[in-house]
Amino acid sequence: GENVEQHPSTLSVQEGDSAVIKCTYSDSASNYFPWYKQELGKGPQLIIDIRSNVGEKKDQRIAVTLNKTAKHFSLHITETQPEDSAVYFCAAPSYSGGGADGLTFGKGTHLIIQP
Amino acid sequence: SAVISQKPSRDICQRGTSLTIQCQVDSQVTMMFWYRQQPGQSLTLIATANQGSEATYESGFVIDKFPISRPNLTFSTLTVSNMSPEDSSIYLCSVNRALDTQYFGPGTRLTVL
């Protein structure tokens, strides 16, 4: 099965600055990499995902980059705002290929936006 | 996306008892998943539930402890049996949309005394 490592565990940035969270995965056959945001008392919310046929994907202030050779992917949040404060999780398919068999999650990053 | 509801949203239970958690989706889905999130931790996949077949459990999870039903394409239940304080967690269901994209429900917060 897949193994996903996520860093850092806590990230504190000034409002307006950028935040970067990094993940590595072990299975070179994995081809789908989602990012989730979890606010206190809520379920994880899918914020962006990337498939292995592209190296980068953007959605407004959020972007994800993928390096298949190095088996790592990163979440980039620009112009951070107080509402970005949450726990962010990366994930990859638990078994080779797609996520139809469930996801393996990183340990999470607690992002704190300082006013 | 998908609209997913879970019942109950939270519960406090006595050790040795069982709790059944319900997951309802707004449209038919093939795959439903159950995850556990222990306090302050990440999510761990418990099992995959397909309609019309037995659930597939991950290593460390067994059917006697976490029986799952999947009677139709919009509904599933997870039972946490013979509970102990170590079972105190958030239990989350998720569904697949558009290939492998997964959406999560709001979770059920379980405390076992």
Side-chain angles (χ1 to χ4, degrees):
Chain A
E2 180 66 274
N3 182 47
V4 178
E5 300 282 341
Q6 182 172 348
H7 299 279
S9 57
T10 303
L11 179 60
S12 181
V13 302
Q14 290 294 124
E15 182 178 349
D17 289 349
S18 296
V20 181
I21 302 170
K22 299 181 180 180
C23 288
T24 60
Y25 60 97
S26 60
D27 188 347
S28 57
S30 289
N31 60 5
Y32 174 67
F33 306 95
W35 285 91
Y36 290 88
K37 174 184 181 183
Q38 188 174 31
E39 296 173 293
L40 196 62
K42 297 184 178 181
Q45 175 194 2
L46 179 68
I47 56 172
I48 196 167
D49 56 13
I50 192 168
R51 299 181 193 279
S52 58
N53 57 342
V54 297
E56 182 176 5
K57 182 178 178 181
K58 284 186 178 180
D59 182 4
Q60 300 182 335
R61 296 187 296 108
I62 294 173
V64 56
T65 58
L66 172 64
N67 184 327
K68 280 193 67 70
T69 302
K71 292 191 285 187
H72 68 71
F73 57 112
S74 300
L75 177 70
H76 304 253
I77 305 174
T78 59
E79 301 173 14
T80 53
Q81 301 169 5
E83 54 265 36
D84 294 329
S85 293
V87 179
Y88 291 80
F89 293 98
C90 62
S94 294
Y95 302 97
S96 293
D101 290 320
L103 296 171
T104 296
F105 284 79
K107 292 189 181 300
T109 296
H110 185 194
L111 177 61
I112 302 166
I113 308 301
Q114 303 279 5
Chain B
S1 63
V3 177
I4 305 168
S5 60
Q6 288 186 231
K7 289 181 180 179
S9 58
R10 60 179 64 242
D11 208 341
I12 301 173
C13 301
Q14 296 298 318
R15 70 169 66 213
T17 63
S18 298
L19 176 71
T20 295
I21 301 167
Q22 300 178 6
C23 179
Q24 179 76 51
V25 192
D26 64 335
S27 59
Q28 294 182 346
V29 293
T30 304
M31 312 288 290
M32 295 182 78
F33 305 89
W34 287 98
Y35 290 81
R36 181 176 72 183
Q37 187 175 25
Q38 294 177 301
Q41 304 297 314
S42 184
L43 287 77
T44 301
L45 180 65
I46 297 172
T48 302
N50 291 335
Q51 194 266 338
S53 63
E54 293 288 324
T56 302
Y57 289 83
E58 298 299 302
S59 176
F61 298 96
V62 295
I63 188 171
D64 290 347
K65 176 67 175 178
F66 298 102
I68 289 171
S69 77
R70 182 80 199 274
N72 57 54
L73 291 174
T74 63
F75 187 79
S76 178
T77 67
L78 170 76
T79 299
V80 186
S81 303
N82 188 23
M83 288 184 287
S84 66
E86 292 71 37
D87 293 320
S88 297
S89 295
I90 301 171
Y91 291 88
L92 296 146
C93 71
S94 72
V95 303
N96 261 24
R97 279 272 196 267
L99 294 178
D100 37 23
T101 307
Q102 281 194 29
Y103 297 94
F104 283 83
T108 295
R109 283 146 187 82
L110 171 61
T111 301
V112 183
L113 302 177

